[in-house]
Amino acid sequence: MRKFSLLDHNSVPKHEIIQENEVKSLLDKYQIEKGQLPKIKQSDPVIKELGASVGDIAKITRNSQTAGESLYYRLVIDD
Amino acid sequence: MDKNMPSIPKRIGAIKFGLISPREIRKMSVTAVITADTYDDDGYPIDMGLMDLRLGVIDPGLKCKTCSSRAGECPGHFGHIELVAPVIHVGFNKMIRKTLRAICPKCSRLMLDAAKKADSLEQLAKLKKMGHLPNSHINEIYKEAAKTKTCPYCYDADGNPTKKTVIKFEKPVEYIENGDKLTPSEIRDRFENIPDEDVRVFGMDPDNARPEWMILTVLPVPPVTVRPSITLESGQRSEDDLTHKLVDIIRINQRFQENRDAGAPQLIIEDLWELLQYHVTTFFDNEVSGVPPARHRSGRPLKTLSQRLKGKEGRFRGSLSGKRVNFSARTVISPDPNLSINEVGVPLPIAKQMTIPVRIIERNIDLMRMYVARGKETYPGANYVIRVDERRIKVTDLNCEELAEKLEVGSTVERQLIDGDIVLFNRQPSLHKMSIMAHNIKVLPNKTFRLNPCVCPPYNADFDGDEMNMHVLQTEESRAEAKILMQVQENILSPRFGGPIIGGIHDHISGMFLLTRNEKFISKNGALELLRKADIRELPEPAGHNEDGAPYWNGKQIFSQILPKGLELEFPAKVCFQCETCKKGDCENDAYVVIKDGELIKGTIDENGIGAFKGLVLDKVVKEYGTTVGAKFIDDVTRLAIRGVMRTGLSFGIADEDVPPEAKIEINDVMDKAVEEVQDLIKAYEAKELEQLPGRTLAETIEMLIMQKLGKARDSTGQIAGNHLGLENSAVIMAKSGARGSMLNLTQMAACVGQQAVRGERIKRGYSQRTLPHFAKGDLAADAHGFVKASYKSGLNPTEYFFHAIGGREGLVDTAVRTSQSGYLQRRLVNALQDLEVQYDRSVRETRGVIVQFKYGEDGIDSTKSDYSKPEAVHRIVRAVTGKEVN
Ligand SMILES: [Mg+2]
Ligand SMILES: [Zn+2]
Ligand SMILES: [Zn+2]
Ligand SMILES: [Zn+2]
């Protein structure tokens, strides 16, 4: 059993699974289907730790020198 | 189909690749081809010959017997040749080898157990679902099956599992099993016996690709339209290479048939079979290694199917990815600082040759009449008139008057280029968007394209014989788009680093440096001479008056005249001495630039002011006043700087590297001391007294210390030389202002060339334990390992020269390797990224609409519009608007 969380690592940006309503507003905002989002494998260490299931959408908050914070979304897929 | 009806664009749903089956070949064939002849004595295509009218038509006047269209409309139709015996398709020879080695020679089943097969099928399905390529997995399967020694499915006469045979492959189409050649028929029989389930394990779909289809029993004959014959001037017909090859195939096929029917001996049959194989092989590919290429009577190798597709001139790279274009011109380039950066000088002969179509309306008919009436010899004239009935008429001296008269609204005149026409200008390699920019043309005498030297950096052009291409735009839309997006002034700032990529180079920088630093007393005549091309109506208050009361100005004032009003800027110049604490405006070296309200108060304008890549004044002018003012500023800078450098004068010769005798002594002292110190280091090393550096062996330590010592010695000789030459020396001026060259270059010319290195280390290669035979073995001294004490001016001794050649070659090899590698890397990147597009919602998406970035660059910033994303930019705006300081 691992005794630390990957999410605490300085170089790992914040990952979170977003709720249904947020998913809807995201898809509405970009006028896309879920399949048009960038993907992330379920076996990705961070996703494994979050315990996300296939079809969930991970919101990734990255630090940016120019934008302060930048948001990225990934659809969790089977591997 | 009506050729005026627009075709409806269709979306390609999927593309399926497979092997073509003999059945399919026969099904799509319109006729079997049985005679090797083409035309009869009357020149009429022979029935069931290679030019059979059912295969399509190329002669005007004849009708296709399949689709009854005429030449040009008939797309052509395939025929076929029934091969007397099967032959290998060379394109699949490796695949056939792999398959032969993976199956049982007796029962033809894939030599893997059932569980393994099921597992593999599952893996394949998964890969397909993921959209991944199955290649590496399938290769594993082949490898594993080839390793299996015995068949899991059948037994030999003794009841033991069948043993795998060893199959030797001899390029290109021979397979030898236990010393006997396998005939294509035998191979085909084996492949036919592979069950469909096993074919699937190979990653093939048995409905679309059965392995036995890799061995040909029937050969498709390409349509005549693919291999048209040409009629020579003598009236003789000359057939296409493919037709020649097909003739050979049919002839041998017939002979084979006859011999077999007559019961010829096996040896002859085998020979003929091999010959048939040769012809079919070369029909597909005439450059197979191990097969002599089929040749024309003249000795020229035939161009068969592969040769049409492969390589730079092939269908893909030559005809589809890149084509030759009309309305383009190419010639040598040369500089002209009097042109605007937005202009390009076009030689008159080119301007007379190239045209722009102008649609006639009531308002331009008189003007266009004049163009046409002048004909094509009197510039500016017109070369073609396209009448209302779409007939295209060449303008000649004879018909120009008449054509002009008959011109009517609705027809089109192709007029010659005139000043101000917009064209695209390009220099290969086109690595970034600034490699193709739109220029306004200026028609000039002589034979080269002329351009303002400031646009050399984006094109990466120089004038040592470089050639460039020009494309004349043909529609209003393209001209509008080019003007808005591609004009040079719209590309002054590069999106790569947000700064100017177009700006002063070489003499512009030395010129500005000399003008704004040294020129203190410029008379009225001098001032007007400097500014005469800059649209200046009055001179500022003079800086002072001399004894006779005549006013004089200084260079800073002159430069200020071309600055836009209201410009505020402060920055350290390139000449900045990097003092401990910068005194900013009070810098005693005049190296801190202060511009207030468009007035150069202090400092020297050099590379950091107006240079391409670094020019801060340029950067600020373009960002604050827009591209038009920016372009005007660059034009003014070029002209002022060129006049500036001519006023002071700047020359460079071998005497400029002369250092005074006392400096020479100083330099020699430094060198001698360094060499001595190196000897001391070596002594300490040999006496094992040297202290080892952390993480290094003793040998590495001494190497490093020697390198350091010699490096420092070279630097200090450079400094001595630089100090003695002083800022009056033209080489120093050019190096310090950033115009050309560096202090290192000057050091090497005047003081000491320094250590020659290979891979960052002193030169060690050569003989055992020494670089050259006249050195003692194990000698670590400076001169024995490539230290060049001499300067280029004083000249190198033979050993130094030799070491210098070694070091120099590394540089050459490096550049050669780097350019080819980075070129390929660039190609791959561009291929991967070319379809990505920034959408109106600022997201970046590929063609399917899949998002790549939610905001362009993850921050949505256009680097050419942002002031390097620094908060100071905002502070400055607040200060400008409110007059208050913020922090
Ligand atoms: Mg060149
Ligand atoms: Zn036809
Ligand atoms: Zn078997
Ligand atoms: Zn300073």
Side-chain angles (χ1 to χ4, degrees):
Chain A
M1 186 57 207
R2 213 168 40 211
K3 295 215 181 69
F4 55 88
S5 165
L6 290 174
L7 294 160
D8 292 338
H9 193 284
N10 195 281
S11 302
V12 177
K14 188 166 139 199
H15 285 63
E16 51 198 326
I17 303 303
I18 58 174
Q19 297 304 311
E20 224 21 72
N21 54 346
E22 205 177 334
V23 170
K24 195 179 171 315
S25 66
L26 172 75
L27 298 183
D28 278 354
K29 181 178 173 192
Y30 290 100
Q31 306 222 330
I32 48 168
E33 303 287 319
K34 261 188 182 178
Q36 285 168 287
L37 285 169
K39 320 276 187 295
I40 191 165
K41 279 187 185 172
Q42 203 182 13
S43 61
D44 185 279
V46 177
I47 297 300
K48 260 203 292 202
E49 188 171 312
L50 287 176
S53 42
V54 173
D56 283 351
I57 293 171
K59 172 177 167 181
I60 303 163
T61 313
R62 298 169 179 162
N63 288 324
S64 158
Q65 291 199 347
T66 43
E69 256 177 14
S70 80
L71 295 179
Y72 206 79
Y73 299 88
R74 287 182 184 277
L75 176 68
V76 179
I77 54 157
D78 193 9
D79 42 34
Chain B
M1 197 173 53
D2 181 6
K3 80 170 183 200
N4 289 320
M5 199 180 76
S7 63
I8 302 152
K10 285 186 183 140
R11 198 186 185 88
I12 296 172
I15 300 177
K16 198 160 74 182
F17 291 96
L19 296 172
I20 193 165
S21 68
R23 235 180 73 176
E24 229 170 319
I25 295 173
R26 289 190 190 103
K27 213 170 91 189
M28 74 175 183
S29 161
V30 291
T31 179
V33 181
I34 50 166
T35 20
D37 301 309
T38 49
Y39 297 94
D40 61 19
D41 297 336
D42 306 328
Y44 195 79
I46 295 173
D47 225 32
M48 295 187 93
L50 277 167
M51 290 290 161
D52 189 302
L53 280 177
R54 282 167 292 186
L55 298 176
V57 278
I58 38 166
D59 311 80
L62 287 179
K63 253 188 181 171
C64 168
K65 274 194 185 163
T66 302
C67 66
S68 37
S69 326
R70 297 190 175 280
E73 281 149 37
C74 166
H77 315 277
F78 274 92
H80 74 277
I81 298 171
E82 292 286 347
L83 296 174
V84 177
V87 288
I88 306 276
H89 186 312
V90 258
F92 294 107
N93 58 2
K94 297 247 168 67
M95 185 76 180
I96 292 170
R97 177 188 62 181
K98 276 202 301 190
T99 313
L100 270 179
R101 285 176 180 174
I103 61 172
C104 168
K106 193 174 164 202
C107 72
S108 282
R109 299 206 57 180
L110 173 58
M111 302 247 273
L112 286 177
D113 58 53
K116 193 89 210 157
K117 286 180 186 173
D119 186 54
S120 166
L121 279 175
E122 206 174 294
Q123 281 253 13
L124 277 171
K126 201 169 189 179
L127 285 169
K128 192 175 177 188
K129 198 176 134 220
M130 296 277 292
H132 288 213
L133 292 174
N135 300 16
S136 59
H137 172 74
I138 290 166
N139 277 335
E140 282 300 309
I141 293 294
Y142 276 113
K143 246 190 229 156
E144 212 163 310
K147 263 188 261 164
T148 318
K149 292 274 180 295
T150 54
C151 174
Y153 301 99
C154 72
Y155 303 91
D156 61 14
D158 307 331
N160 297 319
T162 313
K163 281 215 187 79
K164 153 79 73 42
T165 51
V166 181
I167 290 163
K168 235 178 84 194
F169 173 55
E170 264 175 24
K171 270 184 178 173
V173 287
E174 302 224 320
Y175 302 90
I176 295 146
E177 185 177 50
N178 303 334
D180 297 326
K181 197 190 152 211
L182 282 173
T183 63
S185 304
E186 286 166 326
I187 298 171
R188 198 165 199 280
D189 289 343
R190 282 190 195 181
F191 284 4
E192 272 171 9
N193 284 330
I194 305 174
D196 274 0
E197 315 88 81
D198 284 5
V199 173
R200 286 198 184 88
V201 183
F202 285 131
M204 288 180 173
D205 170 9
D207 294 331
N208 289 308
R210 283 281 320 176
E212 65 266 25
W213 298 344
M214 295 187 287
I215 291 135
L216 300 163
T217 52
V218 54
L219 187 75
V221 175
V224 209
T225 40
V226 173
R227 42 184 179 90
S229 61
I230 38 171
T231 317
L232 299 173
E233 272 160 54
S234 57
Q236 227 183 358
R237 265 187 195 276
S238 170
E239 295 300 334
D240 190 273
D241 284 3
L242 280 185
T243 310
H244 282 302
K245 206 62 241 180
L246 285 165
V247 167
D248 292 341
I249 293 173
I250 295 170
R251 289 228 173 97
I252 295 303
N253 206 38
Q254 275 171 348
R255 256 174 66 197
F256 195 175
Q257 175 95 57
E258 286 157 17
N259 274 283
R260 203 163 61 177
D261 291 352
Q266 187 61 25
L267 221 60
I268 292 185
I269 296 286
E270 263 171 33
D271 273 1
L272 284 171
W273 200 347
E274 239 166 67
L275 205 53
L276 182 66
Q277 175 73 62
Y278 166 79
H279 285 306
V280 174
T281 299
T282 47
F283 173 69
F284 284 113
D285 186 349
N286 204 14
E287 280 167 3
V288 189
S289 61
V291 177
R295 285 174 194 279
H296 211 252
R297 268 194 301 272
S298 63
R300 167 183 66 86
L302 294 174
K303 258 194 141 173
T304 51
L305 286 175
S306 256
Q307 280 63 54
R308 285 194 177 192
L309 309 177
K310 268 186 199 161
K312 202 165 179 188
E313 240 102 273
R315 211 78 326 143
F316 294 105
R317 280 176 70 190
S319 320
L320 293 165
S321 302
K323 301 193 192 87
R324 294 178 172 273
V325 290
N326 287 327
F327 307 109
S328 63
R330 179 186 175 94
T331 183
V332 177
I333 52 166
S334 51
D336 186 345
N338 291 312
L339 288 174
S340 161
I341 54 165
N342 282 321
E343 288 176 322
V344 58
V346 176
L348 181 64
I350 288 180
K352 279 167 85 172
Q353 188 71 232
M354 308 192 78
T355 58
I356 287 182
V358 181
R359 188 75 175 223
I360 307 264
I361 53 173
E362 267 153 26
R363 299 210 312 212
N364 67 11
I365 191 159
D366 291 333
L367 181 67
M368 293 332 290
R369 277 216 169 99
M370 282 163 62
Y371 276 100
V372 178
R374 274 192 290 264
K376 55 185 273 190
E377 294 310 322
T378 323
Y379 175 84
N383 292 358
Y384 283 96
V385 171
I386 300 158
R387 290 196 319 211
V388 188
D389 61 4
E390 292 189 350
R391 274 273 310 270
R392 202 184 166 79
I393 297 154
K394 198 167 188 168
V395 179
T396 62
D397 281 349
L398 295 173
N399 68 2
C400 58
E401 302 273 331
E402 187 196 341
L403 275 175
E405 194 99 356
K406 284 191 186 156
L407 222 52
E408 53 186 330
V409 172
S411 48
T412 304
V413 171
E414 301 207 321
R415 56 144 250 253
Q416 293 170 355
L417 297 187
I418 54 169
D419 284 4
D421 281 336
I422 197 159
V423 296
L424 300 187
F425 203 44
N426 165 231
R427 180 183 177 275
Q428 280 98 0
S430 312
L431 295 176
H432 55 193
K433 69 169 188 175
M434 289 81 77
S435 290
I436 306 179
M437 291 190 286
H439 292 246
N440 297 313
I441 77 159
K442 182 104 185 158
V443 179
L444 295 174
N446 301 318
K447 292 182 175 170
T448 56
F449 283 135
R450 252 60 54 85
L451 49 106
N452 185 306
C454 287
V455 287
C456 285
Y459 289 122
N460 192 20
D462 49 36
F463 304 109
D464 60 3
D466 290 27
E467 292 183 52
M468 283 181 73
N469 303 318
M470 185 185 84
H471 298 269
V472 178
L473 299 168
Q474 298 290 307
T475 63
E476 281 314 333
E477 291 92 328
S478 58
R479 282 189 285 269
E481 196 166 308
K483 189 171 173 148
I484 293 166
L485 299 171
M486 303 175 73
Q487 207 181 24
V488 175
Q489 68 174 49
E490 307 303 329
N491 289 291
I492 296 172
L493 299 178
S494 163
R496 191 169 86 215
F497 52 93
I501 193 170
I502 293 167
I505 53 170
H506 308 332
D507 275 5
H508 305 146
I509 294 166
S510 345
M512 274 305 169
F513 180 88
L514 293 170
L515 182 72
T516 56
R517 190 178 183 86
N518 298 345
E519 291 291 343
K520 300 264 160 61
F521 303 99
I522 301 168
S523 68
K524 186 169 178 185
N525 269 340
L528 291 174
E529 167 66 25
L530 284 166
L531 288 168
R532 58 178 267 233
K533 288 273 178 112
D535 263 343
I536 302 299
R537 289 288 150 255
E538 48 195 277
L539 288 173
E541 276 301 302
H545 297 264
N546 59 18
E547 307 91 68
D548 337 333
Y552 63 83
W553 288 265
N554 63 40
K556 288 191 175 58
Q557 281 180 299
I558 303 293
F559 175 70
S560 300
Q561 298 315 297
I562 63 167
L563 283 174
K565 297 286 152 272
L567 186 73
E568 303 273 337
L569 199 57
E570 279 187 23
F571 62 90
K574 175 86 199 247
V575 279
C576 177
F577 284 50
Q578 314 281 337
C579 331
E580 289 273 299
T581 48
C582 190
K583 292 179 190 152
K584 300 212 159 174
D586 299 322
C587 177
E588 56 274 294
N589 304 312
D590 201 21
Y592 192 82
V593 178
V594 179
I595 295 171
K596 280 211 164 79
D597 190 22
E599 192 79 40
L600 177 61
I601 310 285
K602 287 217 164 73
T604 311
I605 299 297
D606 53 19
E607 196 188 11
N608 283 3
I610 53 135
F613 300 106
K614 288 186 180 162
L616 286 163
V617 181
L618 263 177
D619 182 66
K620 184 70 37 169
V621 170
V622 178
K623 279 182 181 153
E624 214 137 286
Y625 297 84
T627 52
T628 311
V629 177
K632 166 107 172 64
F633 178 67
I634 297 175
D635 293 344
D636 288 342
V637 164
T638 17
R639 293 188 282 240
L640 177 59
I642 293 303
R643 281 170 178 75
V645 77
M646 287 193 292
R647 183 183 160 84
T648 315
L650 185 79
S651 66
F652 185 64
I654 198 129
D656 287 289
E657 295 146 17
D658 279 337
V659 285
E662 62 267 29
K664 259 186 206 154
I665 292 165
E666 230 178 299
I667 288 168
N668 277 334
D669 285 350
V670 171
M671 296 311 294
D672 291 345
K673 218 178 118 217
V675 171
E676 216 169 280
E677 281 172 3
V678 168
Q679 284 308 330
D680 290 346
L681 276 173
I682 294 168
K683 258 184 222 141
Y685 168 74
E686 279 163 355
K688 307 235 182 315
E689 284 161 6
L690 200 69
E691 200 173 322
Q692 200 170 332
L693 286 171
R696 279 171 210 279
T697 65
L698 211 54
E700 284 168 350
T701 306
I702 179 98
E703 277 300 308
M704 230 186 82
L705 291 176
I706 293 173
M707 288 273 277
Q708 265 173 12
K709 189 118 281 163
L710 294 173
K712 269 196 205 126
R714 200 230 346 234
D715 289 349
S716 49
T717 59
Q719 227 154 47
I720 296 164
N723 288 341
H724 278 88
L725 292 171
L727 254 179
E728 302 300 304
N729 181 279
S730 13
V732 180
I733 288 173
M734 290 191 281
K736 294 271 183 192
S737 66
R740 194 74 218 244
S742 60
M743 285 314 281
L744 176 66
N745 293 150
L746 189 64
T747 304
Q748 291 189 318
M749 288 188 287
C752 163
V753 173
Q755 180 67 52
Q756 298 302 305
V758 171
R759 301 204 180 158
E761 288 176 345
R762 298 206 298 164
I763 290 163
K764 284 193 285 214
R765 48 187 76 186
Y767 301 83
S768 83
Q769 296 178 61
R770 50 187 168 176
T771 51
L772 284 172
H774 63 280
F775 290 120
K777 282 192 176 178
D779 186 0
L780 286 175
D783 59 341
H785 287 274
F787 184 71
V788 180
K789 223 160 140 187
S791 65
Y792 287 131
K793 171 88 197 291
S794 67
L796 278 61
N797 69 32
T799 23
E800 289 177 333
Y801 186 80
F802 177 66
F803 288 129
H804 185 255
I806 296 176
R809 169 173 282 231
E810 195 198 19
L812 292 182
V813 172
D814 248 39
T815 12
V817 171
R818 244 203 326 268
T819 40
S820 70
Q821 279 181 347
S822 70
Y824 182 46
L825 205 62
Q826 160 106 0
R827 247 185 99 78
R828 282 162 47 182
L829 267 177
V830 170
N831 275 331
L833 299 177
Q834 63 185 355
D835 291 324
L836 304 191
E837 204 174 281
V838 182
Q839 307 293 329
Y840 283 113
D841 67 359
R842 297 190 182 183
S843 61
V844 181
R845 304 186 190 200
E846 34 102 303
T847 37
R848 293 173 298 172
V850 174
I851 292 186
V852 176
Q853 284 180 340
F854 288 86
K855 233 183 202 177
Y856 169 71
E858 307 248 285
D859 55 15
I861 288 175
D862 174 353
S863 57
T864 62
K865 304 273 158 56
S866 92
D867 208 351
Y868 304 100
S869 300
K870 277 186 296 197
E872 289 84 353
V874 183
H875 296 170
R876 205 174 35 77
I877 292 167
V878 174
R879 190 163 56 231
V881 174
T882 65
K884 278 184 216 143
E885 281 294 329
V886 274
N887 277 308

